[in-house]
Amino acid sequence: MYITLNDEKIVLHFNPYPTLKITGPDPYYLIELREFKKNEDQSLHLESYQISNGVDRGWRQFFDCPIEFYCDYEISIFKYISNYGVKKIFTHRFNDYGKIVLFNLDTDDYEECLLWIDRVNEYQRIHGCKSIINTKFEDLNKKLPNYYLTYGIDHYKTYNIGRYPKSSTDYKTVDHRKEGVIWYGNWKTFWSYQHPRLWKNLSSQEIVDDILGL
Amino acid sequence: MSSIYGFYTGSHSSACSLIVDGNIVSCVEEERMTRIKAGDDYDSHAEMSSEEIQKISGIKILDADYNLFVEPVPPSFAKNLTKNRYEIVSHHDAHAYGAYFTSGFEGKTMTITHDGGGENMMMKMFLCEDGKMTLLKSFPIAAFGTLSHLWGFSTSGILGYDEWYEGIWKMCKDEGKLMGMAANGHLDEDIYKMLKTCIDYENFRFFPSVTSMKTKFLMDMMFSEGRFNTQKKREVFSFTLQTLTNDLFLKFMGDIHKTYPEYTKFCFAGGLFANVKLNQKINELDWVDEIYIYPPMGDEGLSLGACIMKSVELGEWTKPKKFKNLYFSKSYTNEEIYEISQQFDFERAPYIPSKMAEKINNGGIIGFFNGGSEYGPRALGARSILVKPTEPDTHKELNRRLKRHDTMPFAPIVLSEEFDNLFYPSKSKYASEFMTLCFSTKEEWIDKIPAVIQKSDKTARPQIVHKNKLPKFWEILNEYYNISGIPVLLNTSFNSHNEPIIENPIQAFKTLNEGIIDELIIEDYVYYPKR
């Protein structure tokens, strides 16, 4: 997504996780990512930090938070205004209604792939998005709608569905005693950036449901 | 009957405590052992402190009935220390149990914790009565703002950063210095509004959340605009920050009064309540009968809070009790001290209170070492330096000797019998046995004890000294009163610049050797350099 505010230009996408870059007159901006929990009006903090507008190479030039699975995100941009303080200038809540969402089904098992397609269709029904499904089975792909839209278009969100190991960069994931989708301090706790829970203990459907928040 | 070890470890302010059969045996802060101030060491573990308590008590951790770790817990450390036999206690519950069950309060009491997070929460509220605590509300840090982060990030940002991008002043260490600067400042409406964009309050909600990042962002931007580049500007900022803190928290207290009018006694714990000026404002609310601040109000108090919580659960601590004192670390006999003194070239004489009071009256700066060291941030007569309070420029000489740059005025100790003649309001006196709040000074005393009075608002942070609780401390104070007619002495912590309060006789003797103090009262003797 490309958004233009008064003097700021914003690039925002969720492929496969929230990423935001801003150019504008200010040297620094504060970005905050929050999540609305199911059936709650109150959002909780996920991540926030200051980024630079390309002028200070000592700072990160863009914001990202590598959580790939479904969250009801809200991302906000704050800027400093002298004699006013910290002002929110932009906010966007995750909403893929009517938007193109890409689902990469990373399984070699044909039956499982069919099950996961069912769950993706359920996600599409709930969210009202336009889905593009990409599987490892060419014959299946060709039967799926929107297959030929896979490449070269601006997706709103990408989901990778599979069984992924923990990455060494998952520094904010927690020790085994705190696994599960809860908050610990300012941080959401989860097994990895790709799986809310350890997939080894889950059924095939639970894995996909975990990732898609079903 | 049970032996219970409590630990807070893996962060700043690590500490260890031991309760046996519902009685406090020992509490030791890690910083006193490592000699690195808690705010400078965010990775400290309760290693030396737990070793020390095992030596003091003769009870091994592995032999204890219960081992409790307060959240957040580093699992590998806990596992190794206890052979994986430990329980986890909620951070804010440990704060709250520590506060309520040492308050001595009877009847309806509200206990409030407020800090920079700890675990999931920034604040909890409990309704308490007759030794029962019921959780009223809890406030997740991911959803609510916190005044503790407002102070922490203001502190670390006001002087800028070093080459490692660490604040020149440190969070969890230098907030007191920032608070002290407020005395010479005044309100700046623009700064007030700017700070309010980082934290505000309405209807039991401190908001917005993530006060930390917003305050840091604000401070960085204000710093780059040169808004803190003179002492005067920093003082104005500090005053404004204190004013906003008071305004928001008192609004919160007002909402409590409207909603729960039957609660007029309050216990507080958590880092926010190290702010003695805020505590004073709460105490001055006319509808508040009494407040009590858990003396080790920061995270250093969690290990004891956890032990108390377990004792309560086991029925070994049934109702709120009062501390007699906080001298919970290792004490030394005269013989042990004499043995240690042989490393130095001192003379010694029996301690005669009247004689030492005379020396203080003549301008002496005297070290006072008595029993085990205090648990918590204040020197309360176990590791204190005593000076007469009558000279306005005393702080200059003390700062020179102690290599401090403190802007906070020094604090007085006052005879309990005379407190009401000097200070007001006449309530929350138990809390002031631990120097946890300020009081206003009566007009006729302001010029008599200038070294311990805040010049701008004429307040002081007194420690009430009772004869039956701290007899030795009371005695020297009383002797000074007999000589001078002033029932007050200046009491500052026994440490040099940037060091924790001293722990053992060697450190005390080194201080004497370096000429920081003139003479050292240590248990039943006075040590002094050979003349």
Side-chain angles (χ1 to χ4, degrees), chain B residues 200-207 248 251 255:
Chain B
D200 206 341
Y201 170 83
E202 208 64 61
N203 192 25
F204 288 100
R205 281 180 68 237
F206 288 94
F207 66 93
L248 298 184
K251 207 171 166 188
D255 281 349

Side-chain angles (χ1 to χ4, degrees), chain B residues 48 58 188 213 255 308 330 347 385 488 506 525:
Chain B
M48 294 169 78
D188 181 310
M213 294 308 297
D255 281 349
I308 292 172
K330 180 175 162 52
E347 290 188 79
I385 291 174
V488 167
I506 295 181
Y525 290 89

Side-chain angles (χ1 to χ4, degrees), chain B residues 234-405:
Chain B
R234 291 191 286 269
E235 287 167 358
V236 169
F237 175 82
S238 171
F239 184 93
T240 308
L241 176 68
Q242 184 69 53
T243 306
L244 176 66
T245 304
N246 296 348
D247 289 352
L248 298 184
F249 203 85
L250 293 186
K251 207 171 166 188
F252 168 59
M253 292 298 293
D255 281 349
I256 291 174
H257 186 47
K258 272 184 226 152
T259 317
Y260 308 97
E262 66 276 30
Y263 286 87
T264 56
K265 281 186 284 189
F266 292 88
C267 299
F268 298 109
L272 177 66
F273 302 104
N275 191 314
V276 291
K277 291 288 185 191
L278 171 63
N279 299 341
Q280 178 191 2
K281 293 292 176 195
I282 300 168
N283 193 42
E284 285 173 354
L285 291 169
D286 55 6
W287 58 270
V288 168
D289 285 336
E290 188 171 4
I291 67 167
Y292 167 69
I293 298 99
Y294 185 44
M297 69 291 281
D299 288 355
E300 70 281 356
L302 291 168
S303 60
L304 178 61
C307 293
I308 292 172
M309 198 172 161
K310 191 71 187 178
S311 276
V312 170
E313 183 190 317
L314 296 169
E316 294 173 5
W317 191 311
T318 53
K319 59 178 186 176
K321 299 193 261 193
K322 284 187 175 180
F323 286 123
K324 187 181 174 204
N325 61 50
L326 297 173
Y327 304 168
F328 293 137
S329 187
K330 180 175 162 52
S331 57
Y332 295 82
T333 64
N334 288 315
E335 291 70 31
E336 286 171 323
I337 291 164
Y338 182 71
E339 185 91 359
I340 293 165
S341 76
Q342 295 307 298
Q343 300 173 30
F344 301 88
D345 198 19
F346 298 136
E347 290 188 79
R348 77 167 185 172
Y351 166 50
I352 301 164
S354 58
K355 205 170 157 187
M356 293 313 293
E358 188 68 54
K359 286 189 177 171
I360 292 172
N361 193 39
N362 291 334
I365 295 179
I366 307 296
F368 195 88
F369 185 114
N370 174 39
S373 72
E374 301 91 341
Y375 183 43
R378 311 270 189 260
L380 300 169
R383 305 288 184 271
S384 290
I385 291 174
L386 300 177
V387 186
K388 69 174 176 178
T390 52
E391 303 299 323
D393 287 337
T394 299
H395 69 282
K396 286 183 188 161
E397 175 61 7
L398 267 176
N399 279 344
R400 187 187 67 77
R401 289 221 205 171
L402 298 166
K403 300 186 184 72
R404 291 183 194 164
H405 310 285

